[in-house]
């Protein structure tokens, strides 16, 4: 092993950050800009350099934030020319809106203090990332707006992204951190937290990946941004249920829960959703790699076009209300619904009207295997070769679906399709209704050729994690006391999400708590 690596690990650091994803980089950015002179900051990641960026690399880089509307957003975004400004409908998204969405999708179980901390700091954090992190914010026209009568209508409380998604986000933040003096080292795994006689964390025992050499890195503060346990098949089975062993891993294969286990051994309190609903999981390409994401295709294996079609299981039956809410509030839980079906797979099906709304980055020919047919009967026969067990039931499912939409149309002809809002276009009328409704965007599947895409469950990150004080992101003991010198941010934090989450709020939470952890750790270094 190179001498320079040993030199880096042998010297003391003011701040040691475990991880290299968006939360870790936000923490480092905060630490390096909070005091003068700045502290010494080392980031360690057990992943090799080619897997840098954690799960943030695999995201669409969407940040959910409270904001004052289009006029307030225009000064921080770079992709809205002046002649386009008056063609955009983008209403304010208040803190009450954000908190309401968080409470609604988590069934009221989200920790109130954590939620208020994230929401209350979201807008200032986004502006801080622009000013200090040099993040190139853009309006997310492709993912979060529909063109309606010549206007771009944004929907779902989500509007910000960066060029090239997670790849661009991680690249930009990493370059900024290194420019400010942060040191990033790969191939070194955290194994055990080190404390002094008072119980304060003063370092980490690490292992150099590949040769197994162990060393102890001394640090004034340790900030854990090492991700959850979604890439650990055995822990998923133990903590979430055996069925979760079959899920595909959407992102990095290196989030295996090592530091959660190390923290528990220290006496840190685990909180949040460790149940079978305790993760972000989406409709994911059934042909994707099972144990980790693809660094080139990243988020393109997501298959989120279901609101304009239907999803059926191997029995040919629908199993969710595809239109129960806007995609931003359902995609993170529908992966679980797919996994719970026989064989853990499903098919998304559309006619030509629905196909027109599918995003190219998710459904282009180069990225997904498609099954086409000129009739539903023909499609059913083809899907039998792909694992469908009952072609007759699929045909009957589509027929009943179409009949109920026709009845609704006769009863309420003024209700028209509008994918940017909950339009009320439903399968439920006074004369005909389905046992499992489609509550919005119910358009008939009649206009061929018809398309089917096979999906499974892709687990993104786990919801259970460590309890922190939201003001400074310090990790808490089982008795509620603070573990001095130990902070946590990103997907290791527990208690914020339960069963579901509002799209884009994970990256925001990582930035909010990362900024606080970095600032407090830098101030501790300045004092000592």
């Amino acid at each position: 092993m190179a001498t320079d690596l040993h030199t880096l690990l042998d010297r003391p650091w003011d701040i040691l950050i475990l991880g290299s994803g968006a939360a870790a980089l936000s923490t480092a950015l905060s630490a390096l800009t909070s005091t003068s002179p700045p502290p010494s900051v080392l980031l360690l990641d057990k992943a090799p350099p080619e897997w840098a960026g954690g799960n943030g690399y695999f995201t669409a880089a969407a940040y959910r934030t409270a904001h004052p509307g289009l006029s307030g957003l225009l000064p921080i975004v770079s992709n809205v020319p002046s002649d386009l400004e008056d063609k955009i409908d983008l209403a304010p998204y208040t803190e009450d809106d954000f908190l309401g969405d968080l409470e609604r999708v988590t069934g009221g179980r989200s920790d109130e203090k954590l939620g208020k901390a994230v929401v209350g700091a979201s807008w200032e954090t986004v502006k801080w990332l622009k000013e200090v992190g040099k993040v190139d914010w853009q309006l997310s026209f492709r993912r979060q707006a529909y063109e309606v009568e010549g206007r771009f209508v944004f929907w779902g409380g989500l509007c910000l992204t960066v060029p090239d998604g997670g790849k661009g986000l991680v690249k930009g933040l990493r370059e900024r951190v290194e420019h400010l003096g942060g040191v990033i080292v790969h191939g070194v795994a955290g194994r055990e937290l080190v404390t002094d006689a008072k119980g304060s964390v003063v370092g980490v025992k690490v292992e150099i990946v590949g040769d197994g050499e162990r060393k102890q890195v001394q640090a004034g503060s340790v900030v854990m941004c090492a991700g959850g346990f979604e890439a650990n098949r055995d822990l998923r089975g133990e903590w979430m249920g055996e069925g979760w062993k079959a899920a595909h891993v959407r992102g990095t294969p290196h989030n295996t829960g090592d530091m959660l286990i190390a923290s528990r051994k220290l006496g840190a309190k685990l909180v949040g959703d460790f149940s079978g609903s305790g993760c972000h999981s989406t409709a994911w390409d059934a042909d994707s790699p099972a144990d980790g994401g693809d660094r080139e295709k990243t988020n393109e294996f997501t298959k989120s076009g279901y609101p304009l079609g239907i999803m059926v299981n191997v029995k040919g039956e629908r199993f969710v209300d595809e239109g129960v809410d806007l995609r931003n509030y359902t995609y993170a839980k529908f992966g679980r619904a797919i996994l719970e079906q026989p064989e853990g797979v499903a098919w998304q099906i559309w006619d030509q009207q629905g196909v027109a709304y599918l995003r190219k980055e998710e459904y282009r020919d180069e990225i997904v295997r498609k099954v086409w047919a000129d009739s539903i009967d023909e499609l059913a026969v083809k899907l039998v070769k792909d694992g469908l067990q009952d072609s007759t039931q699929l045909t009957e499912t589509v027929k009943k679906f179409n009949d109920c939409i026709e009845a609704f149309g006769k009863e309420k002809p003024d209700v028209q399709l509008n994918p940017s809002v909950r339009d009320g276009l439903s399968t439920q009328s006074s004369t005909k209704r389905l046992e499992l409704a489609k509550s919005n965007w119910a358009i008939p599947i009649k206009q061929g050729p018809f398309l089917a895409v096979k999906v499974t469950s892709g687990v993104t990150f786990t919801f259970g994690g460590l309890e922190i004080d939201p003001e400074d992101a310090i990790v808490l003991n089982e008795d509620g006391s603070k573990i001095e010198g130990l902070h946590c941010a990103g997907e290791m934090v527990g208690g914020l999400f339960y069963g579901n989450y509002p799209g884009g709020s994970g990256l925001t939470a990582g930035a909010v708590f990362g900024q606080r952890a970095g600032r407090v750790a830098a101030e501790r270094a300045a004092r000592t």
Side-chain angles (χ1 to χ4, degrees):
M1 187 57 63
T3 304
D4 56 346
L5 174 59
H6 285 276
T7 301
L8 290 172
L9 299 181
D10 287 338
R11 59 159 285 189
W13 294 84
D14 292 323
I15 301 171
L16 171 60
I17 301 169
L18 299 178
S20 70
L25 294 168
S26 296
T27 302
L29 178 67
S30 176
L32 291 163
T33 57
S34 290
T35 60
S36 183
S40 59
V41 177
L42 173 66
L43 295 86
L44 295 180
D45 192 337
K46 74 174 183 180
E50 59 269 25
W51 280 94
N55 270 347
Y57 183 91
F58 293 88
T59 69
Y63 280 70
R64 180 174 293 266
T65 177
H67 62 77
L70 182 62
S71 61
L73 288 162
L74 287 175
I76 70 167
V77 298
S78 64
N79 65 333
V80 182
S82 57
D83 60 347
L84 185 60
E85 292 178 11
D86 63 355
K87 298 177 183 177
I88 298 172
D89 293 333
L90 205 171
Y93 186 66
T94 68
E95 291 185 12
D96 285 343
D97 293 332
F98 194 162
L99 280 170
D101 284 338
L102 179 61
E103 181 177 6
R104 176 171 55 84
V105 301
T106 62
R109 293 176 290 171
S110 176
D111 182 279
E112 184 178 2
K113 291 181 179 179
L114 288 177
K116 286 184 176 180
V118 171
V119 172
S122 60
W123 180 231
E124 291 304 317
T125 301
V126 161
K127 292 189 291 183
W128 171 77
L129 284 169
K130 173 75 173 182
E131 178 182 354
V132 178
K134 309 303 179 185
V135 172
D136 182 16
W137 293 121
Q138 295 189 347
L139 291 186
S140 183
F141 287 99
R142 287 189 307 162
R143 295 183 64 87
Q144 291 301 146
Y146 287 110
E147 190 170 358
V148 180
E149 297 180 352
R151 301 188 62 78
F152 292 96
V153 182
F154 279 80
W155 54 273
L158 194 56
C159 61
L160 289 179
T161 187
V162 302
D164 207 19
K167 297 178 185 179
L169 173 69
V170 168
K171 180 177 183 293
L173 287 176
R174 187 183 180 100
E175 289 175 351
R176 182 65 175 148
V177 165
E178 291 182 320
H179 173 75
L180 291 168
V183 177
I184 305 174
V185 174
H186 288 273
V188 180
R191 294 302 184 207
E192 185 179 343
L193 295 164
V194 180
T195 59
D196 63 13
K198 297 180 181 180
S200 300
V201 170
V202 294
V204 178
K205 291 182 180 179
V206 302
E207 177 183 339
I208 299 174
V209 178
D211 64 14
E213 182 180 355
R214 298 271 181 140
K215 299 186 77 67
Q216 182 169 311
V217 182
Q218 180 182 342
S221 298
V222 174
V223 187
M224 299 183 297
C225 305
F229 60 92
E230 71 278 355
N232 188 322
R233 189 187 301 267
D234 291 335
L235 273 187
R236 291 202 311 266
E238 178 183 348
W239 285 352
M240 297 171 58
E242 282 294 309
W244 279 105
K245 288 185 175 182
H248 286 208
V249 176
R250 289 184 62 193
T252 175
H254 298 282
N255 282 1
T256 52
D258 304 4
M259 294 314 298
L260 285 172
I261 294 172
S263 300
R264 185 172 63 171
K265 289 180 180 178
L266 188 67
K269 186 176 181 180
L270 295 181
V271 296
D273 192 351
F274 283 91
S275 72
S277 63
C279 70
H280 175 303
S281 60
T282 71
W284 194 245
D285 194 325
D287 295 337
S288 65
D291 296 319
D294 185 299
R295 296 283 289 184
E296 293 300 319
K297 297 174 181 176
T298 63
N299 195 49
E300 294 177 343
F301 284 131
T302 297
K303 299 292 170 272
S304 60
Y306 57 82
L308 276 298
I310 61 172
M311 286 198 290
V312 299
N313 59 23
V314 296
K315 296 181 179 180
E317 300 170 337
R318 292 175 58 245
F319 54 93
V320 294
D321 179 347
E322 303 90 346
V324 68
D325 205 340
L326 294 163
R327 182 204 73 216
N328 292 347
Y329 307 116
T330 61
Y331 79 105
K333 68 176 182 178
F334 276 180
R336 180 176 78 250
I338 294 169
L339 189 69
E340 291 170 347
Q341 301 309 300
E343 311 299 330
V345 297
W347 288 268
Q348 299 176 342
I349 297 174
W350 307 266
D351 77 345
Q352 285 301 296
Q353 186 178 5
V355 166
Y357 287 94
L358 299 181
R359 292 202 301 272
K360 290 182 179 179
E361 60 263 38
E362 295 180 10
Y363 291 98
R364 68 186 188 277
D365 290 344
E366 299 85 356
I367 200 69
V368 66
R369 178 171 58 87
K370 299 176 179 177
V371 180
W372 290 99
D374 292 327
S375 69
I376 292 298
D377 287 341
E378 180 188 359
L379 185 68
V381 170
K382 287 186 174 182
L383 292 185
V384 167
K385 299 177 182 179
D386 202 26
L388 181 69
Q389 296 173 2
D390 193 333
S391 59
T392 302
Q393 180 59 56
L394 173 58
T395 301
E396 182 64 18
T397 294
V398 173
K399 181 180 184 304
K400 288 182 178 179
F401 183 76
N402 289 340
D403 289 347
C404 288
I405 293 174
E406 182 178 353
F408 179 90
K410 291 178 179 178
E411 189 171 290
K412 297 182 178 181
D414 294 335
V415 180
Q416 299 296 313
L417 176 67
N418 184 347
S420 65
V421 298
R422 301 176 189 88
D423 60 10
L425 190 61
S426 169
T427 56
Q428 310 302 86
S429 67
S430 61
T431 58
K432 287 186 179 180
R433 56 181 48 232
L434 295 176
E435 183 176 348
L436 176 58
K438 185 171 184 185
S439 302
N440 297 284
W441 317 297
I443 53 177
I445 301 175
K446 287 186 174 181
Q447 182 183 346
F450 304 93
L451 171 63
V453 167
K454 192 174 186 178
V455 292
T456 187
S457 174
V459 57
T460 313
F461 67 92
T462 42
F463 293 156
L466 298 173
E467 184 170 23
I468 63 168
D469 184 321
E471 295 304 314
D472 51 22
I474 290 181
V475 178
L476 303 183
N477 278 305
E478 285 282 359
D479 62 7
S481 62
K482 291 184 176 182
I483 303 177
E484 292 300 329
L486 183 64
H487 302 258
C488 178
E491 296 168 0
M492 285 188 71
V493 174
L496 185 60
F497 306 125
Y498 286 78
N500 196 5
Y501 98 138
S505 52
L507 283 171
T508 303
V512 167
F513 294 130
Q515 184 188 25
R516 294 183 179 191
R519 183 192 72 246
V520 173
E523 292 170 350
R524 182 183 294 114
R527 290 195 302 271
T528 57

